Amino acid sequence: MTQRTFASFGESGGEQHNAALAFVTEAFAEAILAGIESDSFAYAALSAALRELVATYGEETVATFAQSLPERIRAGEFTISARH
């Protein structure tokens, strides 16, 4: 596994990031096909991701990272379809 700094996780792109995103996207699709509601899976995936980040970097570092999320969300960084 390639060692990355926590700051680099905020950057999109890169081979490792793209491969990991493909795995998560596939798991998401499989969960939907199995009858799990998308919002339930999304919340579970987010919880699992935050737990892993906290285990790796600690609560304070992850809390600081999470403080940047509202601005990034509002800027459309995570939007995959046209806004309504």
Side-chain angles (χ1 to χ4, degrees):
M1 180 171 136
T2 302
Q3 184 65 26
R4 297 174 66 186
T5 63
F6 185 77
S8 69
F9 282 101
E11 302 167 2
S12 60
E15 187 176 323
Q16 184 92 15
H17 173 86
N18 292 336
L21 186 57
F23 278 107
V24 172
T25 301
E26 184 176 327
F28 195 98
E30 288 181 23
I32 300 306
L33 289 173
I36 297 173
E37 293 184 17
S38 63
D39 60 333
S40 293
F41 185 85
Y43 184 78
L46 182 58
S47 295
L50 288 171
R51 281 190 208 118
E52 185 63 30
L53 290 173
V54 167
T56 303
Y57 300 103
E59 287 91 355
E60 192 56 39
T61 301
V62 177
T64 299
F65 165 75
Q67 288 176 330
S68 72
L69 292 175
E71 182 178 312
R72 294 169 64 191
I73 291 166
R74 289 182 184 106
E77 184 174 333
F78 304 101
T79 303
I80 58 173
S81 62
R83 291 187 178 182
H84 300 283

Coordinates of all heavy atoms in Angstrom, one line a residue:
M1 N 0.8 -1.2 0.0 CA 0.0 0.0 0.0 C 0.9 1.2 0.0 O 1.8 1.3 0.8 CB -0.9 0.0 1.2 CG -1.8 1.2 1.3 SD -3.0 0.9 2.6 CE -3.0 2.5 3.4
T2 N 0.6 2.2 -0.8 CA 1.3 3.4 -0.9 C 1.0 4.3 0.3 O -0.2 4.5 0.6 CB 0.9 4.2 -2.2 OG1 1.2 3.3 -3.3 CG2 1.7 5.5 -2.3
Q3 N 2.0 4.8 1.0 CA 1.8 5.7 2.1 C 1.5 7.1 1.6 O 2.2 7.6 0.8 CB 3.1 5.7 3.0 CG 2.9 6.5 4.2 CD 1.9 5.9 5.2 OE1 1.7 4.7 5.2 NE2 1.3 6.8 6.0
R4 N 0.4 7.6 2.1 CA 0.0 9.0 1.7 C -0.2 9.8 2.9 O -0.6 9.3 4.0 CB -1.3 8.9 0.9 CG -1.2 8.1 -0.4 CD -2.5 8.0 -1.1 NE -3.0 9.3 -1.5 CZ -4.2 9.5 -2.0 NH1 -5.0 8.4 -2.2 NH2 -4.6 10.6 -2.4
T5 N 0.0 11.1 2.8 CA -0.3 12.0 3.9 C -1.8 12.2 3.9 O -2.5 12.0 2.9 CB 0.4 13.3 3.7 OG1 -0.1 14.0 2.6 CG2 1.9 13.2 3.7
F6 N -2.4 12.6 5.1 CA -3.8 12.9 5.2 C -4.2 13.9 4.2 O -5.3 13.9 3.6 CB -4.2 13.2 6.6 CG -5.7 13.4 6.8 CD1 -6.5 12.3 6.9 CD2 -6.3 14.6 6.8 CE1 -7.8 12.4 7.0 CE2 -7.6 14.7 6.9 CZ -8.4 13.6 7.0
A7 N -3.4 15.0 4.0 CA -3.8 16.1 3.1 C -4.0 15.6 1.7 O -4.8 16.1 1.0 CB -2.7 17.1 3.2
S8 N -3.3 14.6 1.3 CA -3.4 14.1 -0.1 C -4.8 13.4 -0.3 O -5.2 13.3 -1.5 CB -2.3 13.1 -0.5 OG -2.4 11.9 0.2
F9 N -5.5 13.0 0.7 CA -6.8 12.4 0.6 C -7.8 13.4 0.1 O -8.8 13.0 -0.5 CB -7.2 11.7 1.8 CG -6.6 10.3 2.0 CD1 -5.5 10.2 2.9 CD2 -7.0 9.2 1.3 CE1 -4.9 9.0 3.1 CE2 -6.4 8.0 1.4 CZ -5.3 7.9 2.3
G10 N -7.6 14.7 0.4 CA -8.5 15.7 -0.1 C -8.4 16.0 -1.6 O -9.2 16.6 -2.2
E11 N -7.3 15.5 -2.2 CA -7.1 15.7 -3.6 C -7.7 14.6 -4.4 O -7.6 13.4 -4.1 CB -5.6 15.7 -3.9 CG -4.8 16.8 -3.1 CD -3.4 16.6 -3.2 OE1 -2.9 15.6 -3.8 OE2 -2.7 17.3 -2.5
S12 N -8.5 14.9 -5.4 CA -9.1 13.9 -6.2 C -8.2 13.5 -7.3 O -7.3 14.2 -7.7 CB -10.5 14.4 -6.8 OG -10.3 15.5 -7.6
G13 N -8.4 12.3 -7.9 CA -7.6 11.9 -9.0 C -6.5 10.9 -8.5 O -6.5 10.6 -7.4
G14 N -5.7 10.6 -9.4 CA -4.6 9.6 -9.1 C -5.1 8.2 -9.3 O -6.3 7.9 -9.1
E15 N -4.2 7.3 -9.6 CA -4.5 5.9 -9.9 C -5.1 5.2 -8.7 O -6.1 4.5 -8.8 CB -3.3 5.2 -10.4 CG -3.5 3.8 -10.8 CD -2.3 3.2 -11.4 OE1 -1.5 3.9 -12.1 OE2 -2.1 2.0 -11.2
Q16 N -4.5 5.4 -7.5 CA -5.0 4.7 -6.3 C -6.4 5.2 -6.0 O -7.3 4.4 -5.7 CB -4.1 5.0 -5.1 CG -4.4 4.3 -3.9 CD -3.8 3.0 -3.7 OE1 -2.8 2.7 -4.4 NE2 -4.2 2.2 -2.8
H17 N -6.6 6.5 -6.0 CA -7.9 7.1 -5.7 C -9.0 6.6 -6.7 O -10.1 6.2 -6.3 CB -7.9 8.6 -5.8 CG -9.2 9.3 -5.7 ND1 -9.7 9.6 -4.5 CD2 -10.1 9.7 -6.6 CE1 -10.9 10.2 -4.7 NE2 -11.1 10.3 -6.0
N18 N -8.7 6.6 -8.0 CA -9.7 6.2 -9.0 C -10.0 4.7 -8.8 O -11.2 4.3 -9.0 CB -9.1 6.4 -10.4 CG -9.1 7.9 -10.7 OD1 -9.8 8.7 -10.1 ND2 -8.2 8.3 -11.6
A19 N -9.0 3.8 -8.5 CA -9.3 2.4 -8.3 C -10.1 2.2 -7.1 O -11.1 1.4 -7.1 CB -7.9 1.7 -8.2
A20 N -9.9 2.9 -6.0 CA -10.7 2.8 -4.8 C -12.1 3.2 -5.0 O -13.0 2.6 -4.6 CB -10.0 3.6 -3.7
L21 N -12.3 4.3 -5.7 CA -13.6 4.8 -6.0 C -14.4 3.9 -6.9 O -15.6 3.7 -6.7 CB -13.5 6.2 -6.7 CG -14.8 6.9 -7.0 CD1 -15.6 7.1 -5.7 CD2 -14.5 8.2 -7.7
A22 N -13.7 3.2 -7.8 CA -14.4 2.2 -8.6 C -14.9 1.0 -7.8 O -16.0 0.5 -8.0 CB -13.4 1.6 -9.7
F23 N -14.1 0.6 -6.8 CA -14.6 -0.5 -5.9 C -15.8 0.0 -5.0 O -16.7 -0.8 -4.9 CB -13.4 -0.9 -4.9 CG -12.5 -1.9 -5.5 CD1 -11.2 -1.5 -5.8 CD2 -12.8 -3.2 -5.6 CE1 -10.3 -2.4 -6.4 CE2 -11.9 -4.1 -6.2 CZ -10.6 -3.7 -6.5
V24 N -15.7 1.2 -4.5 CA -16.8 1.7 -3.7 C -18.1 1.8 -4.6 O -19.2 1.5 -4.2 CB -16.5 3.0 -3.1 CG1 -17.7 3.7 -2.4 CG2 -15.4 2.8 -2.1
T25 N -17.9 2.3 -5.8 CA -19.1 2.5 -6.7 C -19.7 1.1 -7.1 O -20.9 1.0 -7.1 CB -18.6 3.2 -8.0 OG1 -18.1 4.5 -7.6 CG2 -19.8 3.4 -9.0
E26 N -18.9 0.1 -7.3 CA -19.4 -1.2 -7.5 C -20.1 -1.8 -6.3 O -21.2 -2.4 -6.5 CB -18.2 -2.1 -7.9 CG -18.7 -3.5 -8.3 CD -17.5 -4.4 -8.8 OE1 -16.6 -3.9 -9.4 OE2 -17.6 -5.6 -8.6
A27 N -19.6 -1.6 -5.2 CA -20.2 -2.1 -3.9 C -21.6 -1.4 -3.7 O -22.6 -2.0 -3.3 CB -19.3 -1.9 -2.7
F28 N -21.6 -0.1 -4.0 CA -22.8 0.7 -3.9 C -23.9 0.1 -4.9 O -25.0 -0.2 -4.5 CB -22.6 2.1 -4.3 CG -23.6 3.1 -3.9 CD1 -23.5 3.8 -2.7 CD2 -24.8 3.2 -4.7 CE1 -24.5 4.7 -2.3 CE2 -25.8 4.1 -4.3 CZ -25.6 4.9 -3.2
A29 N -23.5 -0.2 -6.1 CA -24.5 -0.8 -7.1 C -24.9 -2.1 -6.7 O -26.1 -2.4 -6.8 CB -23.8 -0.8 -8.5
E30 N -24.0 -3.0 -6.1 CA -24.4 -4.3 -5.7 C -25.4 -4.2 -4.5 O -26.4 -5.0 -4.4 CB -23.2 -5.1 -5.3 CG -22.4 -5.5 -6.5 CD -21.2 -6.4 -6.1 OE1 -21.2 -6.9 -5.0 OE2 -20.2 -6.4 -6.9
A31 N -25.2 -3.3 -3.6 CA -26.1 -3.1 -2.5 C -27.5 -2.7 -2.9 O -28.5 -3.2 -2.4 CB -25.5 -2.0 -1.5
I32 N -27.6 -1.8 -3.9 CA -28.8 -1.3 -4.4 C -29.6 -2.5 -5.1 O -30.8 -2.7 -4.9 CB -28.7 -0.2 -5.5 CG1 -28.0 1.0 -4.8 CG2 -30.0 0.2 -6.1 CD1 -28.6 1.6 -3.6
L33 N -28.8 -3.4 -5.8 CA -29.4 -4.5 -6.5 C -29.9 -5.5 -5.4 O -30.9 -6.3 -5.6 CB -28.4 -5.2 -7.4 CG -28.1 -4.5 -8.7 CD1 -27.0 -5.2 -9.4 CD2 -29.4 -4.4 -9.6
A34 N -29.3 -5.5 -4.2 CA -29.7 -6.4 -3.2 C -30.9 -5.9 -2.3 O -31.3 -6.5 -1.4 CB -28.5 -6.7 -2.2
G35 N -31.3 -4.7 -2.7 CA -32.5 -4.1 -2.1 C -32.2 -3.1 -0.9 O -33.1 -2.7 -0.2
I36 N -31.0 -2.8 -0.8 CA -30.6 -1.8 0.3 C -30.8 -0.4 -0.3 O -30.4 -0.1 -1.4 CB -29.2 -2.0 0.7 CG1 -29.0 -3.4 1.3 CG2 -28.7 -0.9 1.7 CD1 -27.6 -3.7 1.7
E37 N -31.5 0.4 0.4 CA -31.8 1.8 0.0 C -30.5 2.6 -0.1 O -29.6 2.4 0.7 CB -32.8 2.5 0.9 CG -34.2 1.9 0.9 CD -35.1 2.6 1.8 OE1 -34.9 3.8 2.1 OE2 -36.2 2.0 2.1
S38 N -30.4 3.4 -1.2 CA -29.2 4.1 -1.5 C -28.7 5.0 -0.3 O -27.6 5.1 0.0 CB -29.3 4.9 -2.8 OG -30.3 5.9 -2.6
D39 N -29.7 5.7 0.3 CA -29.3 6.6 1.4 C -28.7 5.8 2.6 O -27.8 6.2 3.3 CB -30.4 7.5 1.8 CG -31.6 6.8 2.3 OD1 -31.9 5.7 1.9 OD2 -32.4 7.4 3.1
S40 N -29.3 4.6 2.9 CA -28.8 3.7 3.9 C -27.4 3.3 3.6 O -26.5 3.3 4.5 CB -29.7 2.5 4.1 OG -30.9 2.9 4.6
F41 N -27.1 2.9 2.4 CA -25.8 2.4 2.0 C -24.8 3.6 2.1 O -23.7 3.5 2.6 CB -25.7 1.8 0.6 CG -24.4 1.2 0.3 CD1 -24.0 0.0 0.7 CD2 -23.5 2.0 -0.4 CE1 -22.8 -0.5 0.4 CE2 -22.2 1.5 -0.7 CZ -21.8 0.3 -0.3
A42 N -25.2 4.7 1.6 CA -24.3 5.9 1.6 C -23.9 6.3 3.0 O -22.8 6.6 3.3 CB -25.0 7.1 0.9
Y43 N -24.9 6.3 3.9 CA -24.6 6.6 5.3 C -23.6 5.6 5.9 O -22.7 5.9 6.6 CB -25.9 6.7 6.1 CG -25.6 7.1 7.6 CD1 -25.4 8.5 7.9 CD2 -25.6 6.2 8.6 CE1 -25.1 8.9 9.2 CE2 -25.3 6.6 9.9 CZ -25.1 7.9 10.2 OH -24.8 8.3 11.5
A44 N -23.9 4.3 5.6 CA -23.0 3.3 6.2 C -21.6 3.4 5.6 O -20.6 3.2 6.3 CB -23.6 1.9 5.8
A45 N -21.5 3.7 4.3 CA -20.2 3.9 3.7 C -19.4 5.1 4.2 O -18.2 5.0 4.5 CB -20.3 4.0 2.2
L46 N -20.1 6.1 4.5 CA -19.5 7.3 5.1 C -19.1 7.0 6.5 O -18.0 7.4 6.9 CB -20.5 8.5 5.0 CG -20.1 9.8 5.6 CD1 -18.8 10.3 4.8 CD2 -21.2 10.8 5.5
S47 N -19.9 6.3 7.3 CA -19.5 6.0 8.6 C -18.3 5.1 8.6 O -17.3 5.3 9.4 CB -20.7 5.3 9.3 OG -21.7 6.1 9.5
A48 N -18.2 4.1 7.7 CA -17.1 3.2 7.7 C -15.8 4.0 7.3 O -14.7 3.8 7.8 CB -17.3 2.1 6.7
A49 N -16.0 4.9 6.3 CA -14.8 5.7 5.9 C -14.3 6.6 7.0 O -13.1 6.6 7.2 CB -15.2 6.6 4.7
L50 N -15.2 7.2 7.7 CA -14.7 8.1 8.8 C -14.1 7.3 9.9 O -13.1 7.7 10.5 CB -15.9 8.9 9.4 CG -16.4 10.0 8.4 CD1 -17.7 10.6 9.0 CD2 -15.3 11.1 8.3
R51 N -14.6 6.1 10.2 CA -14.0 5.2 11.2 C -12.6 4.9 10.8 O -11.6 4.9 11.6 CB -14.8 3.9 11.4 CG -16.0 4.1 12.3 CD -16.6 2.8 12.6 NE -18.0 3.0 12.8 CZ -19.0 2.5 12.1 NH1 -18.8 1.6 11.2 NH2 -20.3 2.7 12.4
E52 N -12.4 4.5 9.6 CA -11.1 4.1 9.1 C -10.1 5.3 9.1 O -8.9 5.2 9.5 CB -11.2 3.6 7.6 CG -9.9 3.1 7.1 CD -9.3 1.9 7.8 OE1 -10.1 1.1 8.4 OE2 -8.1 1.7 7.9
L53 N -10.6 6.5 8.7 CA -9.7 7.7 8.8 C -9.4 8.0 10.2 O -8.2 8.4 10.5 CB -10.4 8.9 8.1 CG -10.5 8.8 6.6 CD1 -11.3 9.9 6.1 CD2 -9.1 8.8 5.9
V54 N -10.3 7.9 11.2 CA -10.0 8.2 12.6 C -9.0 7.2 13.1 O -8.1 7.6 13.8 CB -11.3 8.2 13.4 CG1 -11.0 8.2 14.9 CG2 -12.2 9.5 13.1
A55 N -9.2 5.9 12.8 CA -8.2 4.9 13.2 C -6.8 5.2 12.7 O -5.8 4.9 13.4 CB -8.7 3.5 12.8
T56 N -6.7 5.7 11.5 CA -5.4 6.0 10.9 C -4.8 7.3 11.4 O -3.6 7.4 11.6 CB -5.6 6.0 9.4 OG1 -6.1 4.7 9.0 CG2 -4.2 6.2 8.7
Y57 N -5.7 8.4 11.4 CA -5.1 9.7 11.6 C -5.5 10.4 12.9 O -5.0 11.4 13.3 CB -5.5 10.7 10.5 CG -5.0 10.2 9.2 CD1 -5.8 9.5 8.2 CD2 -3.7 10.4 8.8 CE1 -5.4 9.1 7.0 CE2 -3.2 9.9 7.6 CZ -4.0 9.3 6.7 OH -3.5 8.8 5.5
G58 N -6.5 9.8 13.6 CA -7.0 10.4 14.9 C -8.2 11.3 14.7 O -8.4 11.9 13.6
E59 N -8.9 11.5 15.8 CA -10.1 12.3 15.8 C -9.9 13.8 15.4 O -10.7 14.3 14.5 CB -10.8 12.3 17.2 CG -11.5 11.0 17.5 CD -10.6 10.1 18.2 OE1 -9.4 10.4 18.4 OE2 -11.1 9.0 18.6
E60 N -8.9 14.4 15.9 CA -8.7 15.8 15.7 C -8.4 16.1 14.2 O -8.9 17.0 13.6 CB -7.7 16.4 16.6 CG -7.6 17.9 16.5 CD -9.0 18.6 16.9 OE1 -9.7 18.1 17.8 OE2 -9.3 19.6 16.3
T61 N -7.5 15.3 13.6 CA -7.2 15.5 12.2 C -8.4 15.3 11.3 O -8.6 16.1 10.4 CB -6.0 14.5 11.8 OG1 -4.9 14.8 12.7 CG2 -5.6 14.7 10.4
V62 N -9.2 14.3 11.6 CA -10.3 14.0 10.8 C -11.4 15.1 11.0 O -12.1 15.5 10.0 CB -10.9 12.6 11.0 CG1 -12.1 12.3 10.2 CG2 -9.8 11.5 10.7
A63 N -11.6 15.5 12.2 CA -12.5 16.6 12.4 C -12.1 17.9 11.7 O -13.0 18.6 11.1 CB -12.6 16.9 13.9
T64 N -10.8 18.2 11.6 CA -10.4 19.3 10.8 C -10.7 19.1 9.3 O -11.2 20.0 8.7 CB -8.9 19.5 11.0 OG1 -8.6 19.8 12.4 CG2 -8.3 20.7 10.2
F65 N -10.4 17.9 8.8 CA -10.8 17.6 7.4 C -12.3 17.8 7.2 O -12.7 18.4 6.2 CB -10.3 16.2 7.1 CG -10.9 15.6 5.9 CD1 -10.5 16.0 4.6 CD2 -12.0 14.7 6.0 CE1 -11.0 15.4 3.5 CE2 -12.5 14.1 4.8 CZ -12.1 14.5 3.6
A66 N -13.1 17.3 8.1 CA -14.5 17.3 8.0 C -15.1 18.8 7.9 O -16.1 19.0 7.3 CB -15.2 16.5 9.1
Q67 N -14.3 19.7 8.6 CA -14.8 21.1 8.6 C -14.7 21.7 7.2 O -15.4 22.6 6.9 CB -13.9 21.9 9.5 CG -14.2 21.6 11.0 CD -13.3 22.4 11.9 OE1 -12.1 22.7 11.5 NE2 -13.8 22.7 13.1
S68 N -13.9 21.1 6.3 CA -13.9 21.6 4.9 C -15.0 21.1 4.0 O -15.2 21.6 2.9 CB -12.5 21.2 4.3 OG -12.5 19.8 4.0
L69 N -15.7 20.1 4.5 CA -16.7 19.5 3.7 C -17.9 20.3 3.3 O -18.3 20.3 2.1 CB -17.2 18.2 4.3 CG -16.1 17.0 4.4 CD1 -16.7 15.8 5.1 CD2 -15.7 16.7 3.0
P70 N -18.5 21.2 4.2 CA -19.6 22.0 3.7 C -19.3 22.9 2.5 O -20.1 22.9 1.5 CB -19.9 22.8 4.9 CG -19.5 22.0 6.1 CD -18.2 21.3 5.6
E71 N -18.1 23.5 2.5 CA -17.7 24.4 1.4 C -17.5 23.5 0.1 O -18.0 23.9 -1.0 CB -16.5 25.1 1.7 CG -16.0 26.0 0.6 CD -14.8 26.8 1.1 OE1 -14.7 27.3 2.2 OE2 -13.8 26.8 0.3
R72 N -16.9 22.4 0.2 CA -16.7 21.5 -0.9 C -18.0 21.0 -1.5 O -18.2 20.9 -2.7 CB -15.7 20.4 -0.5 CG -14.3 20.9 -0.2 CD -13.5 19.9 0.5 NE -13.2 18.8 -0.5 CZ -12.7 17.6 -0.1 NH1 -12.3 17.4 1.1 NH2 -12.5 16.7 -1.0
I73 N -18.9 20.6 -0.6 CA -20.2 20.1 -1.0 C -21.0 21.2 -1.8 O -21.5 21.0 -2.9 CB -21.1 19.6 0.2 CG1 -20.4 18.3 0.7 CG2 -22.5 19.4 -0.2 CD1 -20.9 17.9 2.1
R74 N -21.0 22.4 -1.2 CA -21.7 23.5 -1.8 C -21.1 23.9 -3.2 O -21.8 24.4 -4.0 CB -21.7 24.7 -0.9 CG -22.7 24.5 0.3 CD -22.7 25.7 1.2 NE -23.6 25.5 2.4 CZ -23.1 25.2 3.6 NH1 -21.8 25.3 3.8 NH2 -23.9 25.0 4.6
A75 N -19.8 23.7 -3.3 CA -19.1 24.0 -4.5 C -19.3 23.0 -5.6 O -18.9 23.2 -6.8 CB -17.6 24.1 -4.3
G76 N -20.0 21.9 -5.3 CA -20.4 20.9 -6.3 C -19.3 19.8 -6.5 O -19.4 19.0 -7.4
E77 N -18.4 19.7 -5.6 CA -17.3 18.8 -5.8 C -17.8 17.3 -5.8 O -17.2 16.5 -6.4 CB -16.3 18.9 -4.6 CG -15.0 18.0 -4.8 CD -14.0 18.3 -3.7 OE1 -13.9 19.5 -3.2 OE2 -13.2 17.4 -3.4
F78 N -18.9 17.0 -5.1 CA -19.4 15.7 -5.0 C -20.7 15.5 -5.8 O -21.3 14.4 -5.8 CB -19.7 15.3 -3.5 CG -18.5 15.5 -2.7 CD1 -18.3 16.6 -1.9 CD2 -17.4 14.6 -2.7 CE1 -17.2 16.8 -1.1 CE2 -16.3 14.8 -1.9 CZ -16.2 15.9 -1.1
T79 N -21.1 16.5 -6.6 CA -22.3 16.4 -7.4 C -22.0 15.6 -8.7 O -21.0 15.9 -9.4 CB -22.8 17.8 -7.7 OG1 -23.0 18.5 -6.5 CG2 -24.1 17.7 -8.5
I80 N -22.8 14.6 -9.0 CA -22.5 13.8 -10.2 C -23.6 14.0 -11.2 O -23.5 13.5 -12.3 CB -22.4 12.3 -9.8 CG1 -23.7 11.8 -9.1 CG2 -21.1 12.0 -9.0 CD1 -23.7 10.3 -8.9
S81 N -24.7 14.7 -10.9 CA -25.7 14.9 -11.9 C -26.1 16.4 -11.8 O -25.6 17.1 -11.0 CB -27.0 14.1 -11.5 OG -27.5 14.5 -10.2
A82 N -26.9 16.8 -12.8 CA -27.3 18.2 -12.9 C -28.0 18.6 -11.7 O -28.8 17.9 -11.2 CB -28.1 18.4 -14.2
R83 N -27.7 19.8 -11.3 CA -28.5 20.4 -10.1 C -29.9 20.8 -10.5 O -30.1 21.2 -11.6 CB -27.7 21.6 -9.5 CG -26.4 21.2 -8.9 CD -25.9 22.4 -8.2 NE -24.6 22.0 -7.5 CZ -23.9 22.8 -6.8 NH1 -24.3 24.0 -6.6 NH2 -22.8 22.4 -6.2
H84 N -30.8 20.7 -9.6 CA -32.2 21.0 -9.8 C -32.5 22.3 -9.2 O -32.1 22.7 -8.2 CB -33.1 20.0 -9.3 CG -32.9 18.6 -9.9 ND1 -33.3 18.3 -11.2 CD2 -32.3 17.5 -9.5 CE1 -33.0 17.1 -11.5 NE2 -32.3 16.6 -10.5

